[in-house]
Amino acid sequence: MSAAGQAVLSAPAVEPRRSAAGLWSDAFYRLRRDRTSIVALAVLALIVLLALGADALATSFFHESFTHQDLLESYDPPSLAKPSLWLGTDEIGRSQIVRLLYGARVSLAVGAGAGLIDLTVGIAIGLSSGYFRGWWDDLMQFLISTLNSIPALFLLLFISVLFSPGPVTIVAVIGFLTWSGIALYVRGQTFSLREREFVTAARVVGADDLRVMVRHILPNVLPLVIVLAAIDVGQAILIESALSYLGLGIDPPTPSWGNMLQNATQDLTLGPWLVWGPGLAISVTVLCLYLAGDGIRDALDPRLRGTE
Amino acid sequence: MSRFVTRRLLQAIPTFFGITLITFALFRLSPGDPVDLLVFGVPDMTAAQVAALRHAYGLDQPVPIQYLNWLLRFLHGDFGQSFLYHRPVVEMIGSALPNTIQLALAALLLALVIGVPLGAVAARSRGSRLDQAIRIVAVGGHAVPGFWFGLMFILVLSVQVPLFPVSGMLTLGASQWDIPDRLWHLVGPALTLSLAGIANYSRLMRTEILDVIRQDFVRTARAKGLREQSVLMVHALRNALLPLITGLGGVLAFLVSGAVIVESVFSWPGMGRLAYEAARSKDYPIVMAVVVTSSTMLLVSYILRDIAYSVADPRVRR
């Protein structure tokens, strides 16, 4: 108490607003000056809005549904004649731009769903193995090192052969394959946090293990974990697109950016424009997720800047 | 040294069993009985015949025994028969594996040759526009889907401007030892596969150099009047190279996993393509064998990495 008072007296507040701010407002202050992250966040917000408004846009602006086909209009090159032709048409005359909009829904939904599972499993395993240690921790470490030794896509191929999964299963499997990063981070933090005074204090007043983990340790790791999850969401979108491209993910006619690229390869010479859109859409979405994730992480904890 | 190697090898044993256990468990958990697949085309089989078949394949035994039998056969190099081609799986893997290793090594080389200088340049011009541009390129290397980059490569550099071959390892009719032809076919797939590695290495290099720059011997080098160029490129870079070995872990995982995508796009006859085609035709024995062999490959390369690291930095052997 007196030490803090002296510090204020001897060093007149240069930035009083920042010294008084909490974690998030402090981070926001730093983030505002990181132009790359702001742009990335803005683009992400735009993509989410476009995906949410796909129905409205398709009916009132493009005047075409994503299932509407017209063989007379197949492989129409991109033109400015009408909005639905901006990105051309595919092999059965469906509007590429409208399908791209609906594909955004699939990709974002898969990413969000897998990210949520990844977050839940990662936190649960990380917290419990860091807190209880002992045989449970050993078992989980063994599981993580084993899973990390199996190349993810080979395992996904295997699972897709065995179970012929539908969209929901695919989301679950991707989520269950990506949690190890979060689990390792949470575990490491829990190791040191559980020795801190506030945890001892909580135990002294009678908090049980679950309460200590969820109410006292978790809030300290959550901000960075959410950022890690954002990066995993990007990874999930990439995995889904790769699987769908290979014909083992989301099945047509539901448009997904991955299976649209699969379609595009049917004839590269007749419709070369079909290759650009979905690929750029995936790249931009994932790039923005990574850049924003990086930026928010640096803003939350500047000491981590530039580390992997 | 030999103690370190022995310990590292011993550590790998449980992981290897873990890999085989997960593979086998997934296989047994899947709906349907393997015998049903064999019986599928023969509807007039009697129940006794099906039972005999089940016995012949050891499927009437308890699951743990089945696992051990499968593992024993696997360790003896008997990976079973392909459902589709009726050829021993081990033969098919034997012909695909060298192609995948060749592709992975080429991609690793590209990742080093492009990634390390990029990271060094970014560190030298830290905070500048160039540094920011390299950061975006590096993050982009992770964000751009490999199969799309491969497709674009084919579309632009093989179809629209026919500079490179569309697919395969060799021109039809070319000799096995036609090295220039091989390299020419290697450019597209190797570059596509190396994207994530380039991204990894350039970021790793940048961080490491910036870390090394703050150390005393760099200050000494500056103090004795060396030019900034030689401080960075000779003194700092050499010391920052060590973590390249550590970074190998992540890069190797990308290389092996990415093989599925790149080999499918460029019709490269390796493990990834073998697994993909087998997956499409539900050829279980092949997919199972590829999962275990590619994981073992990854495991072995992790061990080699750790040994290389212990040679480069003896402090890690304890």
Side-chain angles (χ1 to χ4, degrees):
Chain A
M1 184 65 195
S2 66
Q6 272 170 6
V8 170
L9 280 179
S10 59
V14 183
E15 291 176 278
R17 195 159 54 93
R18 284 192 60 196
S19 59
L23 177 71
W24 283 105
S25 54
D26 212 21
F28 182 67
Y29 178 83
R30 277 190 287 264
L31 190 65
R32 261 196 339 203
R33 300 198 287 191
D34 179 2
R35 208 179 300 156
T36 315
S37 304
I38 296 298
V39 172
L41 281 171
V43 174
L44 276 180
L46 181 69
I47 294 172
V48 172
L49 280 180
L50 284 176
L52 288 177
D55 279 327
L57 276 172
T59 47
S60 59
F61 183 69
F62 293 109
H63 304 295
E64 192 157 311
S65 86
F66 71 101
T67 49
H68 173 79
Q69 29 181 297
D70 184 348
L71 289 176
L72 289 175
E73 284 182 358
S74 61
Y75 287 125
D76 269 359
S79 81
L80 293 174
K82 55 180 181 177
S84 63
L85 282 180
W86 279 353
L87 293 178
T89 61
D90 67 4
E91 75 283 357
I92 46 176
R94 292 175 297 192
S95 163
Q96 177 80 349
I97 195 166
V98 173
R99 281 174 58 77
L100 216 50
L101 275 181
Y102 281 88
R105 289 188 162 185
V106 174
S107 286
L108 292 178
V110 169
L116 215 59
I117 293 174
D118 153 67
L119 195 67
T120 317
V121 177
I123 287 178
I125 290 183
L127 266 183
S128 58
S129 64
Y131 186 81
F132 293 118
R133 300 190 277 199
W135 66 270
W136 172 250
D137 184 36
D138 290 340
L139 185 68
M140 287 303 116
Q141 287 305 105
F142 171 67
L143 186 63
I144 289 176
S145 68
T146 306
L147 274 179
N148 282 347
S149 307
I150 305 181
L153 271 168
F154 282 99
L155 192 59
L156 279 166
L157 278 188
F158 187 47
I159 291 172
S160 73
V161 186
L162 291 175
F163 300 95
S164 319
V168 176
T169 321
I170 288 174
V171 170
V173 170
I174 296 175
F176 280 109
L177 282 180
T178 44
W179 54 267
S180 66
I182 288 182
L184 286 175
Y185 172 78
V186 173
R187 169 181 177 265
Q189 294 291 308
T190 308
F191 264 157
S192 57
L193 285 171
R194 76 190 288 276
E195 307 299 337
R196 296 271 290 273
E197 291 83 355
F198 68 88
V199 171
T200 317
R203 267 209 219 97
V204 168
V205 280
D208 59 7
D209 290 337
L210 188 67
R211 192 180 163 86
V212 169
M213 278 191 278
V214 175
R215 296 296 297 273
H216 298 277
I217 296 180
L218 185 58
N220 283 290
V221 295
L222 204 54
L224 267 179
V225 164
I226 290 174
V227 174
L228 288 179
I231 291 168
D232 284 345
V233 166
Q235 216 189 338
I237 292 178
L238 283 179
I239 296 178
E240 181 274 324
S241 71
L243 275 181
S244 299
Y245 167 74
L246 293 174
L248 300 164
I250 307 293
D251 287 324
T254 308
S256 101
W257 290 338
N259 69 32
M260 287 173 72
L261 279 168
Q262 165 69 43
N263 263 359
T265 55
Q266 284 178 10
D267 201 324
L268 282 180
T269 48
L270 274 179
W273 57 86
L274 296 174
V275 182
W276 287 89
L280 277 177
I282 302 169
S283 306
V284 169
T285 309
V286 178
L287 183 69
C288 288
L289 272 169
Y290 286 175
L291 287 175
D294 260 15
I296 296 174
R297 185 188 57 182
D298 291 347
L300 281 171
D301 190 349
R303 282 169 307 169
L304 291 170
R305 187 178 292 277
T307 58
E308 277 298 291
Chain B
M1 182 69 204
S2 66
R3 274 191 59 195
F4 173 79
V5 175
T6 320
R7 209 183 50 206
R8 191 61 190 77
L9 283 173
L10 286 177
Q11 279 171 357
I13 292 176
T15 314
F16 176 77
F17 281 108
I19 292 166
T20 56
L21 203 59
I22 288 181
T23 313
F24 190 79
L26 279 172
F27 178 61
R28 289 301 309 180
L29 281 174
S30 68
D33 188 318
V35 164
D36 292 342
L37 276 169
L38 288 170
V39 176
F40 188 63
V42 200
D44 50 352
M45 260 181 144
T46 64
Q49 281 171 320
V50 173
L53 205 54
R54 189 161 279 133
H55 179 72
Y57 281 92
L59 289 167
D60 51 350
Q61 284 167 326
V63 174
I65 303 286
Q66 284 183 34
Y67 167 68
L68 285 179
N69 281 334
W70 173 76
L71 190 63
L72 272 178
R73 266 183 282 125
F74 213 93
L75 290 173
H76 283 96
D78 175 9
F79 298 177
Q81 289 261 330
S82 153
F83 282 174
L84 197 63
Y85 301 100
H86 301 289
R87 276 178 62 196
V89 173
V90 67
E91 254 176 44
M92 305 180 69
I93 287 188
S95 58
L97 190 58
N99 298 338
T100 294
I101 292 179
Q102 187 186 333
L103 180 59
L105 286 180
L108 182 60
L109 192 71
L110 277 180
L112 283 169
V113 170
I114 302 175
V116 171
L118 264 187
V121 170
R124 201 178 58 182
S125 51
R126 61 196 166 279
S128 72
R129 285 249 167 95
L130 184 63
D131 181 25
Q132 190 72 353
I134 293 178
R135 176 188 167 209
I136 292 179
V137 169
V139 181
H142 284 301
V144 171
F147 65 93
W148 182 61
F149 184 87
L151 280 177
M152 291 304 289
F153 185 94
I154 293 176
L155 178 67
V156 176
L157 292 174
S158 306
V159 176
Q160 292 174 343
V161 186
L163 282 177
F164 290 97
V166 175
S167 67
M169 276 184 79
L170 281 168
T171 310
L172 221 60
S175 123
Q176 182 81 36
W177 297 104
D178 191 345
I179 304 294
D181 190 57
R182 263 178 188 264
L183 289 177
W184 185 50
H185 280 76
L186 197 56
V187 176
L191 192 65
T192 309
L193 192 54
S194 68
L195 276 189
I198 293 175
N200 255 19
Y201 271 149
S202 68
R203 300 199 80 185
L204 191 67
M205 251 358 257
R206 181 183 180 277
T207 318
E208 279 307 319
I209 292 180
L210 288 182
D211 200 38
V212 168
I213 278 176
R214 282 194 281 271
Q215 291 182 21
D216 289 342
F217 67 89
V218 174
R219 194 182 307 137
T220 311
R222 283 215 184 94
K224 71 183 184 189
L226 288 183
R227 280 182 307 128
E228 185 65 14
Q229 184 81 11
S230 82
V231 170
L232 276 175
M233 292 303 148
V234 180
H235 291 74
L237 186 63
R238 199 194 294 171
N239 281 282
L241 284 177
L242 197 62
L244 287 187
I245 305 177
T246 339
L248 210 53
V251 174
L252 284 170
F254 280 121
L255 289 181
V256 176
S257 202
V260 177
I261 302 289
V262 174
E263 290 178 2
S264 307
V265 173
F266 287 93
S267 307
W268 187 268
M271 302 270 283
R273 194 173 136 85
L274 183 67
Y276 167 60
E277 310 240 292
R280 298 220 72 171
S281 49
K282 307 253 163 199
D283 203 338
Y284 295 75
I286 294 186
V287 188
M288 234 168 145
V290 172
V291 170
V292 179
T293 34
S294 61
S295 312
T296 312
M297 207 166 92
L298 204 53
L299 200 58
V300 170
S301 20
Y302 285 159
I303 297 174
L304 290 178
R305 171 201 63 181
D306 290 349
I307 292 174
Y309 196 79
S310 79
V311 171
D313 185 355
R315 282 171 303 180
V316 297
R317 290 179 231 157
R318 264 176 299 122

